[in-house]
Amino acid sequence: MELTGAEAIHTKLEIHADIAIIGGGLGGCAAALAAAATGKAVVMTEETAWIGGQLTSQAVPPDEHRWIEQFGCTRSYRSFREGVRNYYRRNFPLTAEACRKPNLNPGNGAVSRLCHDPRSALAVLQEMLAPYVHSGKVKLLMRRVPIKAETVGDTVHTVTVRNLETGHDETIVASFFLDATECGDLLPMTGTEYTTGAEAKSETGEPHAVDGDSLPMDMQAFTYVFALDYCEGEDHTIERPRDYDFWRSYQADFWPGKLLDWTGVLPRTLQPREFGLFSKTADLWRYRRIIDRSNFLDGTFDSDITIVNWQQNDYWLGPIIDVSEEERNRHLESAKQLSLSLLYWMQTEAPRPDGKAGYPGLRLRKDVVGTEDGLAMYPYIRESRRIKAEFTVLEQHISPEARTDGRAEPFHDSVGVGYYRIDLHPSTGNRHYIDISCLPFQIPLGSLIPVRMKNLLPACKNLGVTHITNGCYRLHPVEWNVGEAAGYLASYCLDKQIQPREVRNHEATLKDFQQLLEQAGIELKWPEFAAM
């Protein structure tokens, strides 16, 4: 008999697995691939309708370092990247010139060597997971959110998720739980020690930490991303957003002008900078362009397609972590209004080089992000709750200003590598960009081990970093590596019947685990070169 109403809401199912991954973003997908490849039964939940996180439900093309084609990522991440290119080669009518490019960039966007449609990323991730999903090794539970956890002492026994479509609750029983949620949602539910926001200099000694007391509610801006194409001569103006008047006049104290304007800032210097939609010198259209129609035969696309994840739609008026549900929803809705207001402003009032105002031919591509309102399924989250870890990565470990030998701190317990500038967007505390140089770094195993919990691991942006170092550990290939390492770590611990901290703190065991990672194609160290 099918239950409805209150009966359905309180129905509880029980699901068993070796490893439960809560959150189906990039880190979650990488963790699932690793755990399943080593023979473990995996259940992975995801809040939205799409796995893939940053690349799909948040619609953000990959931010990567400039050596990504040669080294500096895991073998499976490289397989994903090549899978995207092959997806276009197999399914799209590319020009002869595009076909000849070994490093095909579908959008030729300025931000990445691989700018692509989020639906393409979704298809490739589903293809990578397909052997495990079809065989039953990986069970995907979509549209589920964690609502509570049961712990006994330092061990998580169960996590209960709610099906957002049916209202049913499902209790997951597993030997290991990986928190791959975008905001570190399992940490408070399980009583895992964690931190949020900006640490004080007195806590970390970091040169760019805050003076005085720490600011736990001061977190990086988040963004509701959207996709556009452009149909010259047509009018695709959206309905005037409810909060348009507010956003049209809004100016932060630290910003050089109104937020809805072509004037922004250079993050590295904080000096004003003029942008334009189709400007030759500061071309926002090409910045995160995911389809360059010149890559495809005539008639395939009527227009380029670009992703709007710009300074103008960063939302910093309040955090959505560790606040009431009412406040969280208010900020989420306000962020949506900001993004819609930016679009409406561009369509109706934005100054043009020809002296006219507005680009009514800008068309919101709802299909690209898979939603009715045309905004990404989930906001682009730059900063999560972060575990209090056995080892926390500090600015001093990775900054060229602090490292006189020109190399990041070497970590004996490395489980991967990453590289990006320390890139923090404006924050909910009305603090400006922090954009500073960084050295190629390693991911220490100690940053994946909570100080107390035995069977919970971070698999997203919630590892042991600070507000500052999160700025470079949050990018796509690093999140993938973190999740992949966590998946292998949980599996290794199950095989050896030991705890994660035992892997790190016993030399022979650590070496054995690191050899497993290297055999799986995870790079543990960098060659030597200069700061970014």
Side-chain angles (χ1 to χ4, degrees), residues 305-351:
I305 302 175
T306 197
I307 290 291
V308 179
N309 174 25
W310 303 339
Q311 294 181 356
Q312 290 92 334
N313 61 329
D314 272 2
Y315 181 87
W316 56 67
L317 268 61
I320 56 172
I321 293 174
D322 287 352
V323 296
S324 68
E325 191 69 15
E326 179 183 5
E327 183 175 351
R328 180 177 185 274
N329 289 336
R330 177 166 56 83
H331 288 308
L332 290 173
E333 178 58 29
S334 293
K336 287 185 175 185
Q337 285 290 309
L338 168 58
S339 286
L340 292 171
S341 293
L342 171 60
L343 172 57
Y344 186 78
W345 175 80
M346 288 193 292
Q347 290 174 324
T348 61
E349 296 190 68

Coordinates of all heavy atoms in Angstrom, one line a residue, residues 305-351:
I305 N 27.4 30.3 -25.9 CA 26.7 30.2 -24.6 C 27.8 30.5 -23.5 O 28.9 30.0 -23.6 CB 26.1 28.8 -24.3 CG1 25.1 28.4 -25.4 CG2 25.4 28.8 -23.0 CD1 24.6 27.0 -25.3
T306 N 27.4 31.3 -22.6 CA 28.4 31.7 -21.5 C 27.7 31.5 -20.2 O 26.5 31.5 -20.0 CB 28.8 33.2 -21.7 OG1 30.0 33.4 -20.9 CG2 27.8 34.2 -21.3
I307 N 28.6 31.4 -19.2 CA 28.2 31.3 -17.8 C 28.4 32.6 -17.1 O 29.5 33.1 -17.1 CB 28.9 30.1 -17.1 CG1 28.5 28.8 -17.7 CG2 28.8 30.1 -15.6 CD1 27.1 28.3 -17.3
V308 N 27.4 33.0 -16.3 CA 27.6 34.3 -15.6 C 27.9 33.9 -14.1 O 27.0 33.6 -13.3 CB 26.3 35.1 -15.7 CG1 26.5 36.4 -14.8 CG2 26.0 35.5 -17.1
N309 N 29.1 34.0 -13.8 CA 29.7 33.8 -12.4 C 30.7 34.9 -12.3 O 31.9 34.7 -12.4 CB 30.3 32.4 -12.3 CG 30.9 32.2 -10.9 OD1 30.6 32.9 -10.0 ND2 31.9 31.3 -10.9
W310 N 30.3 36.1 -12.1 CA 31.1 37.3 -12.2 C 31.1 38.0 -10.8 O 30.4 37.7 -9.9 CB 30.5 38.3 -13.2 CG 30.4 37.7 -14.6 CD1 31.1 36.6 -15.1 CD2 29.6 38.2 -15.6 NE1 30.7 36.4 -16.4 CE2 29.8 37.4 -16.8 CE3 28.7 39.3 -15.8 CZ2 29.1 37.6 -18.0 CZ3 28.0 39.5 -16.9 CH2 28.2 38.7 -18.1
Q311 N 31.9 39.1 -10.7 CA 31.9 39.9 -9.5 C 30.5 40.5 -9.2 O 30.1 40.6 -8.1 CB 32.9 41.0 -9.7 CG 34.3 40.6 -9.8 CD 35.3 41.8 -9.9 OE1 34.9 42.9 -10.0 NE2 36.6 41.4 -9.9
Q312 N 29.7 40.8 -10.3 CA 28.5 41.5 -10.1 C 27.4 40.6 -9.5 O 26.4 41.1 -9.1 CB 28.0 42.0 -11.5 CG 28.8 43.1 -12.0 CD 29.9 42.7 -12.9 OE1 30.4 41.5 -12.8 NE2 30.4 43.5 -13.8
N313 N 27.5 39.3 -9.5 CA 26.5 38.5 -8.8 C 27.0 37.6 -7.6 O 26.4 36.7 -7.2 CB 25.7 37.6 -9.8 CG 26.5 36.6 -10.6 OD1 27.7 36.8 -10.8 ND2 25.8 35.5 -10.9
D314 N 28.2 38.0 -7.1 CA 28.6 37.5 -5.8 C 27.7 38.0 -4.7 O 27.5 39.2 -4.6 CB 30.1 37.9 -5.5 CG 31.1 36.9 -6.1 OD1 30.7 36.0 -6.8 OD2 32.3 37.1 -5.9
Y315 N 27.2 37.1 -3.8 CA 26.3 37.6 -2.8 C 27.0 37.5 -1.4 O 27.5 36.4 -1.0 CB 25.1 36.7 -2.7 CG 24.1 37.1 -1.7 CD1 23.1 38.0 -1.9 CD2 24.2 36.5 -0.4 CE1 22.2 38.4 -0.9 CE2 23.3 36.9 0.6 CZ 22.3 37.8 0.3 OH 21.4 38.2 1.3
W316 N 27.2 38.6 -0.8 CA 27.9 38.7 0.5 C 27.1 39.3 1.6 O 27.7 39.7 2.7 CB 29.2 39.4 0.3 CG 29.1 40.8 -0.2 CD1 28.6 41.9 0.3 CD2 29.6 41.2 -1.5 NE1 28.7 43.0 -0.5 CE2 29.3 42.6 -1.6 CE3 30.3 40.6 -2.6 CZ2 29.7 43.4 -2.7 CZ3 30.6 41.3 -3.7 CH2 30.3 42.7 -3.8
L317 N 25.8 39.4 1.5 CA 25.0 40.1 2.5 C 24.7 39.2 3.7 O 24.2 39.7 4.7 CB 23.7 40.6 1.9 CG 23.7 42.0 1.4 CD1 24.7 42.2 0.3 CD2 22.3 42.5 0.9
G318 N 25.1 37.9 3.7 CA 24.9 37.1 4.9 C 25.2 35.7 4.6 O 25.2 35.2 3.4
P319 N 25.6 34.9 5.6 CA 26.0 33.5 5.4 C 24.8 32.6 5.4 O 23.7 33.0 5.8 CB 26.9 33.2 6.6 CG 26.3 34.1 7.7 CD 25.8 35.3 7.0
I320 N 25.0 31.4 4.9 CA 23.9 30.4 4.9 C 24.3 29.1 5.7 O 23.6 28.1 5.7 CB 23.5 29.9 3.4 CG1 24.7 29.4 2.7 CG2 22.9 31.1 2.7 CD1 24.4 28.8 1.3
I321 N 25.4 29.3 6.4 CA 25.9 28.2 7.3 C 25.7 28.6 8.7 O 26.0 29.7 9.1 CB 27.4 27.9 7.0 CG1 27.5 27.3 5.6 CG2 28.0 26.9 8.0 CD1 28.9 27.1 5.1
D322 N 25.2 27.7 9.5 CA 25.0 27.9 11.0 C 24.1 29.1 11.3 O 24.4 29.9 12.2 CB 26.4 28.0 11.7 CG 27.1 26.6 11.8 OD1 26.5 25.6 11.4 OD2 28.2 26.6 12.2
V323 N 23.1 29.2 10.5 CA 22.0 30.2 10.7 C 20.7 29.5 10.7 O 20.6 28.3 10.4 CB 22.0 31.3 9.7 CG1 23.3 32.1 9.7 CG2 21.8 30.8 8.3
S324 N 19.7 30.1 11.1 CA 18.3 29.5 11.2 C 17.9 29.2 9.7 O 18.4 29.8 8.8 CB 17.3 30.4 11.8 OG 17.1 31.6 11.0
E325 N 17.0 28.3 9.6 CA 16.5 27.9 8.3 C 15.8 29.1 7.6 O 15.9 29.3 6.4 CB 15.5 26.8 8.4 CG 15.0 26.2 7.1 CD 16.2 25.4 6.4 OE1 17.2 25.1 7.1 OE2 16.0 25.0 5.2
E326 N 15.1 29.9 8.4 CA 14.5 31.1 7.9 C 15.5 32.1 7.3 O 15.4 32.6 6.2 CB 13.7 31.8 9.0 CG 13.0 33.1 8.5 CD 12.3 33.8 9.7 OE1 12.4 33.4 10.8 OE2 11.6 34.8 9.4
E327 N 16.6 32.3 8.1 CA 17.7 33.2 7.6 C 18.4 32.7 6.4 O 18.7 33.4 5.4 CB 18.7 33.5 8.7 CG 19.7 34.5 8.3 CD 20.7 35.0 9.4 OE1 20.4 34.6 10.6 OE2 21.7 35.6 9.1
R328 N 18.6 31.4 6.4 CA 19.3 30.7 5.2 C 18.5 30.9 4.0 O 19.0 31.3 2.9 CB 19.5 29.3 5.5 CG 20.2 28.5 4.4 CD 20.4 27.0 4.8 NE 21.1 26.3 3.8 CZ 20.6 25.7 2.8 NH1 19.3 25.7 2.6 NH2 21.4 25.0 1.9
N329 N 17.2 30.6 4.1 CA 16.3 30.8 2.9 C 16.2 32.2 2.4 O 16.1 32.5 1.2 CB 14.9 30.2 3.2 CG 14.9 28.7 3.4 OD1 15.7 28.0 2.8 ND2 13.9 28.2 4.1
R330 N 16.3 33.1 3.4 CA 16.2 34.6 3.0 C 17.4 35.0 2.2 O 17.3 35.6 1.2 CB 16.1 35.4 4.3 CG 16.1 36.9 4.0 CD 15.6 37.7 5.2 NE 16.4 37.4 6.4 CZ 17.6 38.0 6.6 NH1 18.1 38.9 5.8 NH2 18.3 37.7 7.7
H331 N 18.6 34.5 2.6 CA 19.8 34.8 1.9 C 19.8 34.1 0.5 O 20.3 34.7 -0.5 CB 21.0 34.5 2.7 CG 21.3 35.4 3.8 ND1 21.3 36.8 3.7 CD2 21.5 35.2 5.2 CE1 21.5 37.4 4.9 NE2 21.6 36.4 5.8
L332 N 19.4 32.9 0.5 CA 19.4 32.2 -0.8 C 18.4 32.9 -1.8 O 18.8 33.1 -3.0 CB 18.9 30.7 -0.6 CG 19.9 29.8 0.1 CD1 19.2 28.5 0.4 CD2 21.1 29.6 -0.7
E333 N 17.3 33.3 -1.3 CA 16.4 34.0 -2.2 C 16.9 35.4 -2.6 O 16.8 35.8 -3.8 CB 15.0 34.2 -1.5 CG 14.0 35.0 -2.3 CD 13.7 34.3 -3.7 OE1 13.8 33.1 -3.8 OE2 13.3 35.1 -4.6
S334 N 17.6 36.1 -1.7 CA 18.2 37.4 -2.0 C 19.3 37.2 -3.1 O 19.4 38.0 -4.0 CB 18.8 38.0 -0.8 OG 17.7 38.4 0.1
A335 N 20.0 36.1 -3.0 CA 21.1 35.8 -4.0 C 20.5 35.5 -5.3 O 21.1 36.0 -6.4 CB 22.0 34.7 -3.5
K336 N 19.4 34.8 -5.3 CA 18.7 34.6 -6.6 C 18.2 35.9 -7.2 O 18.4 36.2 -8.4 CB 17.5 33.7 -6.4 CG 17.9 32.2 -6.2 CD 16.7 31.3 -6.1 CE 17.0 29.9 -6.0 NZ 15.9 29.0 -6.0
Q337 N 17.7 36.8 -6.4 CA 17.2 38.1 -6.9 C 18.4 38.9 -7.4 O 18.2 39.6 -8.4 CB 16.5 38.8 -5.7 CG 15.1 38.3 -5.4 CD 14.1 38.6 -6.5 OE1 14.0 39.7 -7.0 NE2 13.4 37.6 -7.0
L338 N 19.5 38.8 -6.8 CA 20.7 39.5 -7.3 C 21.1 39.1 -8.7 O 21.3 39.9 -9.6 CB 21.9 39.3 -6.4 CG 23.3 39.8 -6.9 CD1 23.2 41.3 -7.3 CD2 24.4 39.5 -5.9
S339 N 21.1 37.8 -8.9 CA 21.5 37.2 -10.2 C 20.5 37.6 -11.3 O 20.8 38.0 -12.4 CB 21.7 35.7 -10.2 OG 22.9 35.4 -9.5
L340 N 19.2 37.5 -10.9 CA 18.1 37.9 -11.9 C 18.2 39.4 -12.1 O 17.9 39.8 -13.3 CB 16.8 37.5 -11.3 CG 16.5 36.0 -11.3 CD1 15.2 35.6 -10.6 CD2 16.5 35.3 -12.7
S341 N 18.5 40.2 -11.1 CA 18.6 41.6 -11.3 C 19.7 42.0 -12.2 O 19.7 42.9 -13.0 CB 18.7 42.3 -9.9 OG 17.5 42.2 -9.2
L342 N 20.8 41.3 -12.1 CA 22.0 41.5 -12.9 C 21.6 41.3 -14.4 O 21.9 42.1 -15.3 CB 23.2 40.6 -12.5 CG 24.3 40.6 -13.5 CD1 24.9 42.0 -13.7 CD2 25.4 39.6 -13.1
L343 N 20.9 40.2 -14.6 CA 20.4 39.9 -16.0 C 19.5 41.0 -16.5 O 19.7 41.4 -17.6 CB 19.7 38.5 -16.0 CG 19.0 38.1 -17.3 CD1 20.0 38.2 -18.5 CD2 18.4 36.8 -17.2
Y344 N 18.5 41.4 -15.7 CA 17.6 42.4 -16.1 C 18.3 43.7 -16.4 O 17.9 44.4 -17.4 CB 16.5 42.5 -15.0 CG 15.4 43.5 -15.4 CD1 14.3 43.0 -16.3 CD2 15.3 44.8 -15.0 CE1 13.3 43.9 -16.6 CE2 14.3 45.6 -15.3 CZ 13.3 45.2 -16.1 OH 12.2 46.0 -16.5
W345 N 19.2 44.0 -15.6 CA 20.0 45.3 -15.8 C 20.8 45.2 -17.1 O 20.8 46.1 -17.9 CB 21.0 45.5 -14.6 CG 21.9 46.6 -14.8 CD1 21.7 47.9 -14.6 CD2 23.3 46.5 -15.3 NE1 22.8 48.7 -14.9 CE2 23.8 47.9 -15.3 CE3 24.1 45.5 -15.6 CZ2 25.1 48.2 -15.7 CZ3 25.4 45.8 -16.0 CH2 25.9 47.1 -16.0
M346 N 21.4 44.0 -17.4 CA 22.1 43.9 -18.7 C 21.1 44.0 -19.8 O 21.5 44.5 -20.9 CB 22.9 42.6 -18.7 CG 24.1 42.5 -17.8 SD 25.2 41.1 -18.1 CE 24.1 39.7 -17.6
Q347 N 20.0 43.4 -19.7 CA 19.0 43.5 -20.8 C 18.4 44.8 -21.0 O 18.0 45.2 -22.2 CB 17.9 42.5 -20.5 CG 18.3 41.0 -20.6 CD 17.2 40.1 -20.1 OE1 16.4 40.4 -19.2 NE2 17.1 38.9 -20.8
T348 N 18.3 45.7 -20.0 CA 17.6 46.9 -20.1 C 18.3 48.2 -19.9 O 18.0 49.2 -20.5 CB 16.4 46.9 -19.1 OG1 17.0 46.8 -17.7 CG2 15.4 45.8 -19.3
E349 N 19.4 48.2 -19.1 CA 20.0 49.4 -18.7 C 21.5 49.5 -18.9 O 22.1 50.6 -18.8 CB 19.7 49.8 -17.2 CG 18.3 50.0 -16.9 CD 18.1 50.6 -15.5 OE1 18.5 51.7 -15.3 OE2 17.6 49.9 -14.7
A350 N 22.2 48.4 -19.1 CA 23.6 48.3 -19.1 C 24.2 49.2 -20.3 O 23.7 49.1 -21.4 CB 24.1 46.9 -19.3
P351 N 25.1 50.1 -20.0 CA 25.7 50.9 -21.0 C 26.4 50.1 -22.1 O 27.0 49.1 -21.8 CB 26.7 51.8 -20.3 CG 26.3 51.7 -18.8 CD 25.7 50.4 -18.6

